[in-house]
Amino acid sequence: MLSNYRKILIFLHDVIAVNLIWYFAFMLRYNFYIPSNEVVTFFHSLLIVTPIHLLIAYFLGIHRATWRYFSFDNLKSLIVLAISVALVTSSIILMLRLSVPRSVLVIYPILSISILGGSRYVYRYFKESNTNPRKNIASSVVIFGAGAAGAGLVKDFKRSSKWNIVAFLDDNKAIHGRDLLGIPVLGGLSELKNIEIKYGIDSVVIAMPSAPNQRKKEILAEIKNLGLNALSL
């Protein structure tokens, strides 16, 4: 749960951001020079859009989201927020008969999504970059077995920053030199030592569930002989 201090900072950030976004929307509409006769309209409309934004953000729970773990789902909430604010503000402005250009109401949600979402993503990036750098170093691995099991591992490993898949190895010479999901099949077991020297791999994952046990033992023996970590499906 976020501390009250952080909630206050998020609240202040969003208040300042909304004011700046509305200002830039007007600036873009008038080619970076707001006419003197539109300045009053700008301030009147600003007094409308700011509380509307904060109120809708509160009901959507925007302030409860942890920036450090900002995700696509959080971004979707910001998109809903921006569109909702634009629609509600448009309705109120229409009722009050304020002469706010329609283009401002189109520009606003675009800037809102970009600035509010962008600031949160930047915060998350720097937080992850500066938190225990050793944990952020990916382990280089080779997958032995360029079949369905190996392809499935690639998809799983790519979801994590802990793994860097260097290459595939496979006993099937017919696929040597090819790519599987963008990862090269560099050869068979005899190439493991060369790959270890060239890429400095840490581990080998044996993804050959249907291979004979004797073959698995041979591969495992070579992995251990090179001092590498062995993982198996």
Side-chain angles (χ1 to χ4, degrees):
M1 189 173 180
L2 288 175
S3 66
N4 290 332
Y5 174 72
R6 290 184 178 180
K7 287 182 180 180
I8 291 171
L9 285 179
I10 292 172
F11 175 80
L12 291 175
H13 168 274
D14 286 357
V15 169
I16 294 170
V18 169
N19 282 263
L20 288 175
I21 291 166
W22 194 248
Y23 172 71
F24 283 125
F26 264 80
M27 289 287 283
L28 288 172
R29 166 59 181 84
Y30 290 109
N31 296 319
F32 296 96
Y33 179 77
I34 303 175
S36 56
N37 61 316
E38 293 294 336
V39 172
V40 174
T41 300
F42 164 75
F43 282 110
H44 284 170
S45 57
L46 185 62
L47 293 174
I48 295 172
V49 71
T50 302
I52 289 174
H53 176 101
L54 296 175
L55 188 62
I56 296 177
Y58 176 80
F59 282 111
L60 290 176
I62 301 296
H63 63 289
R64 291 195 298 269
T66 305
W67 286 27
R68 183 174 177 178
Y69 303 106
F70 188 74
S71 64
F72 183 68
D73 286 336
N74 298 132
L75 180 61
K76 288 192 290 186
S77 296
L78 289 179
I79 293 172
V80 172
L81 170 64
I83 294 173
S84 300
V85 171
L87 292 174
V88 174
T89 302
S90 299
S91 301
I92 294 176
I93 285 174
L94 186 63
M95 288 189 294
L96 296 177
R97 297 182 179 180
L98 291 176
S99 59
V100 176
R102 293 178 182 176
S103 55
V104 169
L105 297 167
V106 174
I107 296 170
Y108 174 81
I110 297 172
L111 291 179
S112 180
I113 295 165
S114 301
I115 293 175
L116 295 179
S119 60
R120 284 160 167 81
Y121 267 122
V122 168
Y123 178 87
R124 173 184 168 178
Y125 172 79
F126 280 108
K127 266 293 184 181
E128 291 181 347
S129 299
N130 296 325
T131 302
N132 199 346
R134 291 185 179 181
K135 290 186 178 179
N136 294 329
I137 299 174
S139 177
S140 296
V141 301
V142 163
I143 298 176
F144 202 106
L153 275 176
V154 171
K155 295 175 183 177
D156 290 336
F157 281 7
K158 283 187 174 180
R159 296 191 188 102
S160 171
S161 60
K162 295 180 180 179
W163 303 99
N164 173 37
I165 304 172
V166 172
F168 278 107
L169 293 178
D170 199 278
D171 288 333
N172 184 1
K173 294 182 179 180
I175 61 174
H176 291 176
R178 297 185 181 181
D179 284 1
L180 176 62
L181 300 176
I183 297 169
V185 183
L186 295 182
L189 184 60
S190 60
E191 289 296 319
L192 182 58
K193 184 175 181 179
N194 294 332
I195 294 172
E196 192 276 329
I197 293 172
K198 184 175 181 180
Y199 296 102
I201 62 173
D202 308 303
S203 309
V204 178
V205 183
I206 304 174
M208 303 170 64
S210 60
N213 287 333
Q214 182 58 37
R215 182 53 180 160
K216 290 181 181 179
K217 289 179 181 179
E218 292 171 357
I219 296 170
L220 186 59
E222 180 63 16
I223 294 170
K224 289 184 176 180
N225 184 51
L226 293 172
L228 301 173
N229 298 317
L231 305 170
S232 181
L233 292 179

